[in-house]
Amino acid sequence: MSSTSGDRTRSRAPSDAGADTAMVPGGVGKGHAKTECACGKEGKHFSETALSTTFPSTPEKVYNLMFNSGWLKEFMSEDQKLKGGSFFDSVLMIDIEQSDWKPSEETKNLTRGTSYIKPLNGSIGPKQTKCHIIDEQIHCDYDDYIVMLTTTRTPDVPSGGVFSVKTKTCLTWAGGSSTKVLVTTQVDWTGKSWVKGQSCVLI
């Protein structure tokens, strides 16, 4: 969780500058031993696996690319079509809103809010929905592992007020100068709904 005496967790505000070398005694060339996140050791990953892969880079660089880079907003707006365009005739050029990282009042972990409007392609239901996302830095130690928790709420979809999508992104050393990225997810329900138990599309 947040930084405490004796805990290896180091809450860090993300930066665009990644580490240039593997963070090990002796510097470049010696690589880094494999690490494992606490949720993996304790069997606390979410029920569904969305991604499990390895990248030839350090956890710090992958973290910054995924959570704090110009590429992220470009991917969300251009590839995922989360802003503007002829589809949104009544709300032309809506941009992605994103806050700065700041400590949570409840957990003291660094958090950030993101909001946007996403087009939907279903044959029934709304043609677009507001998306409210909270990213929370659960654990951040570049020499060990990083865990991010993302909570997505979509109030405009059916029963959108009684569920949220939880996504956990775990970055660990995969040996050498590579990083394992494991993304797990689940739907959390806070009330009854006729759509509960049906297939859900993650937004």
Side-chain angles (χ1 to χ4, degrees):
M1 302 296 287
S2 57
S3 299
T4 56
S5 177
D7 191 350
R8 296 190 67 194
T9 301
R10 294 179 291 199
S11 293
R12 305 187 185 198
S15 64
D16 286 326
D20 291 328
T21 62
M23 299 178 64
V24 293
V28 179
K30 293 182 179 287
H32 195 294
K34 293 182 179 181
T35 59
E36 185 177 5
C37 55
C39 39
K41 294 177 181 178
E42 298 168 4
K44 293 184 178 180
H45 288 140
F46 291 144
S47 56
E48 301 294 329
T49 299
L51 176 69
S52 180
T53 191
T54 301
F55 292 104
S57 188
T58 65
E60 182 178 4
K61 284 184 176 181
V62 175
Y63 169 52
N64 284 328
L65 178 64
M66 293 180 69
F67 290 96
N68 193 63
S69 69
W71 169 85
L72 176 61
K73 269 197 170 183
E74 181 179 349
F75 173 80
M76 294 173 73
S77 61
E78 303 301 329
D79 185 89
Q80 298 298 299
K81 310 300 181 185
L82 301 183
K83 70 170 186 178
S86 59
F87 183 87
F88 299 114
D89 291 332
S90 61
V91 285
L92 188 62
M93 294 308 295
I94 283 184
D95 201 359
I96 296 170
E97 298 179 4
Q98 194 167 74
S99 70
D100 294 330
W101 292 94
K102 61 182 179 180
S104 165
E105 294 182 1
E106 296 180 358
T107 66
K108 307 305 179 184
N109 293 336
L110 289 176
T111 60
R112 177 186 63 187
T114 304
S115 296
Y116 53 81
I117 291 180
K118 177 181 176 66
L120 302 177
N121 299 319
S123 58
I124 60 174
K127 298 302 181 183
Q128 64 185 46
T129 181
K130 295 177 181 177
C131 295
H132 303 296
I133 295 176
I134 298 295
D135 292 313
E136 181 178 1
Q137 189 186 82
I138 302 298
H139 184 102
C140 186
D141 185 341
Y142 299 142
D143 194 39
D144 194 1
Y145 67 91
I146 301 164
V147 176
M148 298 295 295
L149 176 64
T150 300
T151 302
T152 304
R153 292 182 171 85
T154 51
D156 299 331
V157 302
S159 299
V162 297
F163 76 89
S164 62
V165 178
K166 302 283 188 178
T167 304
K168 188 179 291 185
T169 302
C170 301
L171 309 178
T172 56
W173 288 93
S177 296
S178 60
T179 297
K180 180 180 179 180
V181 179
L182 177 64
V183 181
T184 58
T185 186
Q186 68 183 29
V187 179
D188 278 4
W189 294 91
T190 57
K192 295 181 179 180
S193 170
W194 65 272
V195 300
K196 187 174 181 179
Q198 303 298 315
S199 297
C200 291
V201 178
L202 302 185
I203 299 175

